[in-house]
């Protein structure tokens, strides 16, 4: 099952490896919602799914609350607005028409995502969605994915919150999976971006939460900064497909790390292969 959205950093391609490191628990907490690929691929009793991007959370809440009406309206927009000039009209309304209600804003967000260049989600400093038209012949309408998402979302709570706010809401037994904007790659999916200071702040919280007994699993780039920040975790090196943030001539893959707290390793899988086991995907 693919995801509703086209999304930079979508975890679908590495789900088989990621699942090895996610222990059981009563609830999975994701402070970086993204495409919700991990939620869709797992079977936790409950989910707390958060993101700082209000458009993303609004889409997920709207589908959860009114799935069939959303499909009806979104499909009509896909069928009626297929040209470049239509795309820019929708983008203009999305950015500047403050009379648009949350339901239609969710419809427009899906439309923009599926029609924009490479499915990027990018905002300028004023908060305007600024990705150009993708010029696709027939953008895919994810009807089956929307229905599957609405069914799984019955177990989930969606909140618009920062990662530190989300991680302050932990309950005993929660499993934490973090997929932040990767170090050294595109991170403008929200106006504020994601800086090195944010990487440091996130890691410090996760190290503390791990010491309190929460299983913590983190995906990120394989860089010296990330290796240093998660040096107390067990690191699993993978080569993952990537279409952005890869230098010309480097192909369509890049080294990444799945960093796993030692508590998670005890609870969920056999860490006997050591801290730097290498698994290759997509090459």
């Amino acid at each position: 099952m693919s995801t509703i959205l086209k999304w930079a950093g979508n975890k679908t391609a590495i789900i088989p490896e990621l699942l090895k490191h996610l222990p059981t628990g009563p609830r999975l907490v994701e402070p970086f919602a993204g495409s919700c690929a991990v939620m869709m691929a797992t079977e936790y009793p409950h989910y707390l799914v958060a993101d700082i991007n209000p458009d993303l959370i609004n889409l997920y809440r709207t589908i959860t609350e009114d799935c069939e009406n959303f499909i009806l309206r979104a499909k009509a927009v896909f069928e009626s607005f297929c040209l470049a000039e239509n795309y820019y009209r929708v983008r203009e309304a999305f950015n500047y028409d403050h009379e648009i209600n949350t339901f239609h804003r969710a419809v427009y967000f899906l439309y923009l995502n599926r029609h924009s260049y490479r499915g990027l989600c990018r905002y300028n400093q004023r908060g305007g969605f600024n990705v150009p038209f993708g010029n696709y012949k027939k953008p895919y309408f994810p009807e089956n994915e929307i229905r599957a998402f609405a069914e799984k979302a019955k177990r989930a709570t969606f909140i618009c919150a920062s990662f530190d706010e989300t991680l302050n809401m932990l309950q005993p037994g929660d499993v934490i999976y973090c997929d932040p904007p990767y170090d050294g790659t595109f991170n403008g999916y929200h106006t504020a971006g994601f800086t090195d200071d944010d990487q440091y702040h996130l890691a410090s919280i996760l190290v503390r939460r791990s010491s309190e007994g929460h299983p913590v699993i983190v995906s990120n780039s394989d860089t010296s900064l990330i290796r240093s920040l998660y040096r107390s975790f067990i690191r699993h090196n993978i080569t993952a497909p990537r279409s952005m943030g890869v230098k010309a001539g480097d192909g369509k893959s890049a080294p990444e790390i799945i960093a796993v707290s030692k508590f998670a390793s005890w609870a969920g899988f056999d860490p006997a292969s050591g801290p730097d086991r290498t698994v290759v995907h997509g090459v």
Side-chain angles (χ1 to χ4, degrees):
M1 176 64 68
S2 62
T3 54
I4 294 171
L5 297 172
K6 299 170 70 174
W7 201 257
N10 189 317
K11 293 277 106 45
T12 300
I14 67 165
I15 283 293
E17 179 63 21
L18 192 57
L19 291 178
K20 298 176 184 178
H21 310 297
L22 288 167
T24 58
R27 186 172 72 160
L28 181 67
V29 175
E30 290 193 72
F32 303 91
S35 67
C36 280
V38 175
M39 185 187 85
M40 294 305 299
T42 55
E43 293 297 335
Y44 287 88
H46 302 284
Y47 297 86
L48 176 61
V49 180
D51 203 276
I52 200 170
N53 186 330
D55 294 318
L56 188 64
I57 296 302
N58 179 55
L59 172 70
Y60 293 152
R61 286 175 172 170
T62 300
I63 290 172
T64 303
E65 293 165 4
D66 199 357
C67 176
E68 292 305 318
N69 193 29
F70 178 86
I71 288 173
L72 181 66
R73 299 297 182 87
K75 187 181 292 187
V77 172
F78 269 59
E79 292 171 352
S80 301
F81 297 97
C82 54
L83 301 177
E85 62 246 42
N86 302 138
Y87 174 86
Y88 289 109
R89 282 170 53 204
V90 171
R91 195 181 75 174
E92 182 81 5
F94 183 80
N95 285 336
Y96 303 112
D97 186 350
H98 301 297
E99 300 300 317
I100 294 176
N101 62 29
T102 56
F103 181 91
H104 285 95
R105 190 168 180 84
V107 169
Y108 284 174
F109 185 68
L110 177 64
Y111 167 87
L112 290 171
N113 173 265
R114 284 285 173 175
H115 289 75
S116 65
Y117 176 70
R118 298 176 78 176
L120 282 173
C121 183
R122 186 185 66 197
Y123 297 81
N124 60 32
Q125 290 300 310
R126 298 184 303 277
F129 186 90
N130 66 354
V131 184
F133 183 59
N135 201 31
Y136 303 111
K137 290 183 179 179
K138 190 176 181 181
Y140 176 68
F141 182 71
E143 182 170 351
N144 291 334
E145 290 83 353
I146 292 170
R147 287 201 172 94
F149 178 90
E151 183 62 29
K152 176 62 73 68
K154 294 176 182 178
R155 309 183 206 172
T157 299
F158 298 96
I159 61 171
C160 184
S162 63
F163 65 81
D164 47 355
E165 291 171 325
T166 305
L167 293 169
N168 276 333
M169 301 172 64
L170 293 177
Q171 299 173 0
D174 281 345
V175 176
I176 305 167
Y177 172 64
C178 282
D179 181 34
Y182 277 18
D183 180 39
T185 66
F186 169 78
N187 61 23
Y189 79 110
H190 183 262
T191 304
F194 203 82
T195 66
D196 284 355
D197 286 343
D198 293 318
Q199 297 282 6
Y200 278 100
H201 184 41
L202 173 63
S204 68
I205 295 174
L206 295 178
V207 168
R208 184 173 75 252
R209 292 305 192 185
S210 173
S211 70
E212 295 169 354
H214 288 284
V216 179
I217 301 87
V218 187
S219 299
N220 214 311
S221 301
D222 184 2
T223 65
S224 58
L225 173 62
I226 299 305
R227 289 193 295 271
S228 175
L229 291 178
Y230 296 100
R231 58 189 176 275
S232 63
F233 284 38
I234 298 170
R235 299 188 308 275
H236 300 267
N237 299 79
I238 65 172
T239 299
R242 189 184 298 175
S243 59
M244 285 171 278
V246 181
K247 295 179 181 178
D250 285 353
K252 295 292 185 179
S253 62
E256 297 183 5
I257 285 175
I258 299 174
V260 183
S261 67
K262 292 181 179 179
F263 185 87
S265 71
W266 299 333
F269 66 99
D270 179 6
S273 54
D276 287 304
R277 181 167 61 92
T278 299
V279 181
V280 179
H281 290 270
V283 293

